[in-house]
Amino acid sequence: MSLGDEPGYGDASRGEDGGYGGSGQTRTRLPDRPGDVYGGARRGRSSSRSLVTVVGVVVLLIAAIAFANRGGDDSSSGNGANDKAKTSPTAASGTRPVESKAAGIPSGFAQSEQGAQSAAANYAVVLGSTSMFKTASRHDIVNTVYTSAAAGRLQGPMDQAYSAEFLSKLGLDADGNPPKGSTFVSRTIPVGTKVQQYSATGAKVSVWYMGLIGMSGQTSTDPVSSTWKTWTFELQWDNGDWKIVTDSQKDGPAPVPGDDKAATSDEISKAIEEYGGFTYAR
């Protein structure tokens, strides 16, 4: 029985749609604060699912293209003796994740299982960031975290996927900017990593994460909501660092939602501005 089949987990489908936005539901007790879209009324399910569907299409397309163009490269197939997924320790190792950054992205990960896990976690963060919605920064990200061959295949299709029409459905202008007075939120927060395969030249690592996506603003019809996903990366040791060859996503596992009060749009915007992200390490 899957997590979604158990009582109390709602009726959301749990198919592997590959989308960042996800299809998970949240049970939220909204505050009685007049004048704020976050506290005025529950957002309609159709609006929420519309955002989810649109975002999901983009990442599904990206993952499908990467998979279809893998070619005959078996460098990330791992060592046969280590093909079975292992349970990873939850305690921090104390090992510094990286020594440097490239284009503002952590780089120079160790050629080890811990290094591969650190790379996967940090790549999940940057690929789920708002920078992916702007052409120049998206190009920098893709060129930095993917192998050169994978990046070359993905840039064009990604530019088509992040079209002006798609951005407008998220409330962004053609350059990926939110309306004045609003804050667009897109973040991935890794909860844990797991090595599925590992060798000195290739690794397959899954990142379990919570995502935040939506528009924070007084006129927003798609307030920031959370989703739970697992992002799996096939990594290759390339020119002294771990690089992504292919990646894919699936829903969950999602915990039972709590009864926390939803914050106002001002509180969400302030939190996004004040709380920075982390460099993640095993």
Side-chain angles (χ1 to χ4, degrees):
M1 177 182 291
S2 68
L3 204 61
D5 294 329
E6 295 179 7
Y9 281 84
D11 59 357
S13 63
R14 307 191 58 75
E16 296 187 10
D17 62 359
Y20 168 79
S23 58
Q25 293 177 291
T26 56
R27 185 177 71 246
T28 308
R29 186 175 66 220
L30 297 170
D32 298 324
R33 304 185 188 184
D36 192 283
V37 68
Y38 281 64
R42 283 190 188 275
R43 177 178 50 178
R45 180 174 296 184
S46 60
S47 175
S48 174
R49 289 189 175 178
S50 175
L51 174 63
V52 164
T53 300
V54 170
V55 179
V57 167
V58 172
V59 182
L60 177 59
L61 172 63
I62 293 168
I65 292 171
F67 182 83
N69 290 282
R70 289 173 61 184
D73 188 353
D74 295 328
S75 61
S76 61
S77 60
N79 188 326
N82 293 321
D83 280 349
K84 186 176 180 180
K86 299 181 295 184
T87 300
S88 301
T90 56
S93 67
T95 302
R96 185 174 181 178
V98 292
E99 299 294 333
S100 60
K101 289 189 176 184
I105 303 167
S107 62
F109 297 94
Q111 191 175 10
S112 64
E113 288 194 28
Q114 289 187 14
Q117 291 178 82
S118 295
N122 284 284
Y123 293 165
V125 170
V126 71
L127 287 170
S129 70
T130 55
S131 295
M132 287 294 291
F133 296 82
K134 297 177 181 290
T135 302
S137 54
R138 181 173 64 253
H139 286 182
D140 287 340
I141 290 170
V142 173
N143 286 328
T144 299
V145 305
Y146 286 90
T147 64
S148 57
R153 291 193 299 266
L154 288 172
Q155 290 289 18
M158 279 193 176
D159 287 344
Q160 293 177 6
Y162 287 91
S163 64
E165 181 182 0
F166 164 71
L167 295 175
S168 69
K169 292 179 180 178
L170 299 178
L172 304 171
D173 65 19
D175 296 320
N177 299 309
K180 185 176 180 180
S182 296
T183 301
F184 179 61
V185 180
S186 180
R187 285 196 184 188
T188 53
I189 304 96
V191 177
T193 58
K194 178 177 67 176
V195 175
Q196 296 189 21
Q197 297 173 0
Y198 178 79
S199 73
T201 58
K204 186 174 183 179
V205 181
S206 292
V207 180
W208 179 35
Y209 74 88
M210 183 184 75
L212 300 176
I213 190 166
M215 186 74 73
S216 175
Q218 295 294 331
T219 60
S220 173
T221 57
D222 285 299
V224 180
S225 60
S226 62
T227 184
W228 290 85
K229 294 280 186 179
T230 300
W231 206 334
T232 300
F233 298 91
E234 289 198 22
L235 304 172
Q236 177 181 312
W237 187 253
D238 181 24
N239 196 27
D241 209 350
W242 292 109
K243 301 291 183 179
I244 304 170
V245 179
T246 65
D247 58 294
S248 61
Q249 295 195 53
K250 66 179 182 180
D251 291 339
V256 177
D259 289 327
D260 301 311
K261 285 186 177 181
T264 67
S265 58
D266 288 342
E267 290 171 334
I268 290 292
S269 297
K270 184 177 181 181
I272 290 298
E273 293 171 358
E274 294 181 348
Y275 292 87
F278 298 97
T279 298
Y280 288 84
R282 162 50 68 191

